[in-house]
Amino acid sequence: MSSEPEDSTQIHVQTEQVFASLAAYQHALTSHVDWLQSWYSSVLNWDDQARPTPGAGHCRFTAWYEGAGQSALADYPAFAELGQLHSEIHAKAERITERAADGHTVTTSDYESMMALVLAFSTTAQELERDTWRTLATVDALTGLGNRQTMMSHLIGERDRAIRLKQPCCVGLADIDHFKKINDTHGHTVGDRVLRAVAEALRHNVRPYDVLYRYGGEEFLVCLPAANQEAGLLVLERMRAAIAGLNLTSATGQPIPVTATFGLAELSADLSVEESLDRADIALYDGKRGGRNRVTVWSRDGES
């Protein structure tokens, strides 16, 4: 599919890179623990012929940390703290080793200060991993958009904010037309690439403060804060045109036409979020029945 936008592939790659970064991080932690255990054993069983090496040479965590500076993990506050604690542990180990080499025993104070650093490092390491998994749990791995797990809490918050500020707010649902036919004709791998391309087309045509979600399957949802139906219609029409303008082809060069149908409804004080989503869904299927590849606004009389 040579015409697929590069950014849509990058979204998927970025998510995969986070998983790869986590795996590398866990290997680095294992190396650090192995080094620490070896160092403890050497210091407690000091032998002038087999002096322990407290530096970073036998601990691969340092190399991982320096190489991970541009990774997704570096965005978390715990990342910088972890690097600092790791440096302090090695510096402390160096001082204790030098004291042992000079014939001094490891004191209770040495042991307690080292253990305090080790425990702080362990706590921070767990925090970094927890934060990363928490972020991954809110993202659809295929498209890089928000997933349904966090969508409802966000929509409830936007509805409450719209009511409090007395501002309009709309939600739009999008459904790729004849997506089953795409999967049946070209296979699910191509279907996934189409989903990523559509997600990227949507991403490039929202306002800076709009929020996109993968609603499920071939459906997407966009929350449009401070947008009444007229403004929301303009945004969804721009999205619709962008999807219809995608120039996608199969591996054999066969064109893959892609369009989507949209339904729009308002979030309001008179309705729950679920009821507003139902209205957007009704509008969407009115558009499907009306010929697809169009934006339909929910209306009270059922005629959008």
Side-chain angles (χ1 to χ4, degrees):
M1 188 179 294
S2 58
S3 300
E4 181 183 354
E6 290 184 4
D7 286 350
S8 65
T9 301
Q10 290 170 354
I11 293 168
H12 184 53
V13 169
Q14 287 167 2
T15 305
E16 292 181 337
Q17 286 175 343
V18 174
F19 282 108
S21 294
L22 270 175
Y25 169 58
Q26 289 161 348
H27 284 302
L29 285 178
T30 299
S31 175
H32 173 73
V33 171
D34 288 345
W35 166 83
L36 189 61
Q37 290 176 337
S38 176
W39 176 82
Y40 269 134
S41 177
S42 297
V43 169
L44 292 174
N45 301 284
W46 181 263
D47 184 345
D48 287 335
Q49 302 301 316
R51 176 174 173 167
T53 305
H58 292 162
C59 176
R60 292 192 296 273
F61 188 91
T62 298
W64 170 84
Y65 187 84
E66 291 174 351
Q70 301 302 316
S71 78
L73 301 186
D75 294 334
Y76 296 100
F79 181 84
E81 184 179 354
L82 195 65
Q84 179 63 34
L85 287 167
H86 182 259
S87 296
E88 291 179 16
I89 286 173
H90 277 277
K92 184 68 174 177
E94 178 73 43
R95 290 193 296 271
I96 292 174
T97 300
E98 289 176 353
R99 283 172 53 81
D102 291 338
H104 301 288
T105 59
V106 178
T107 66
T108 300
S109 176
D110 288 332
Y111 176 80
E112 289 178 346
S113 59
M114 186 63 161
M115 282 304 300
L117 288 172
V118 170
L119 289 173
F121 180 89
S122 176
T123 299
T124 305
Q126 291 173 12
E127 180 183 346
L128 177 59
E129 186 165 352
R130 224 172 18 245
D131 287 346
T132 306
W133 279 112
R134 190 179 296 119
T135 298
L136 287 170
T138 69
V139 176
D140 174 59
L142 180 65
T143 63
L145 301 180
N147 62 21
R148 195 163 181 168
Q149 181 175 333
T150 56
M151 180 192 74
M152 286 304 297
S153 60
H154 173 255
L155 291 180
I156 290 170
E158 285 297 335
R159 174 183 175 274
D160 292 345
R161 188 166 72 93
I163 293 170
R164 185 174 66 254
L165 299 178
K166 297 182 180 179
Q167 292 181 342
C169 185
C170 287
V171 288
L173 282 177
D175 185 273
I176 301 175
D177 298 324
H178 303 297
F179 185 70
K180 184 177 184 301
K181 182 178 180 181
I182 294 174
N183 274 335
D184 291 345
T185 303
H186 302 285
H188 289 278
T189 299
V190 170
D192 285 348
R193 297 177 72 186
V194 168
L195 287 168
R196 293 198 296 271
V198 167
E200 190 60 22
L202 295 174
R203 188 193 297 273
H204 279 298
N205 287 280
V206 293
R207 303 168 304 170
Y209 37 86
D210 297 333
V211 184
L212 284 164
Y213 295 93
R214 185 177 179 195
Y215 192 62
E218 65 270 26
E219 288 188 307
F220 300 86
L221 181 142
V222 58
C223 179
L224 303 160
N228 57 21
Q229 285 190 350
E230 183 179 358
L233 182 62
L234 291 175
V235 176
L236 296 195
E237 178 57 34
R238 189 165 63 240
M239 291 177 166
R240 183 207 62 78
I243 293 171
L246 288 172
N247 182 26
L248 306 181
T249 58
S250 68
T252 60
Q254 181 181 357
I256 305 174
V258 180
T259 61
T261 302
F262 291 75
L264 180 70
E266 288 185 301
L267 291 176
S268 72
D270 300 329
L271 300 169
S272 67
V273 169
E274 291 83 354
E275 288 170 325
S276 292
L277 292 178
D278 286 343
R279 287 187 173 186
D281 196 49
I282 290 169
L284 188 157
Y285 280 96
D286 282 346
K288 292 280 189 182
R289 287 190 292 269
R292 295 182 169 84
N293 190 24
R294 62 189 63 203
V295 180
T296 307
V297 180
W298 185 89
S299 66
R300 193 169 297 279
D301 60 9
E303 296 180 2
S304 305

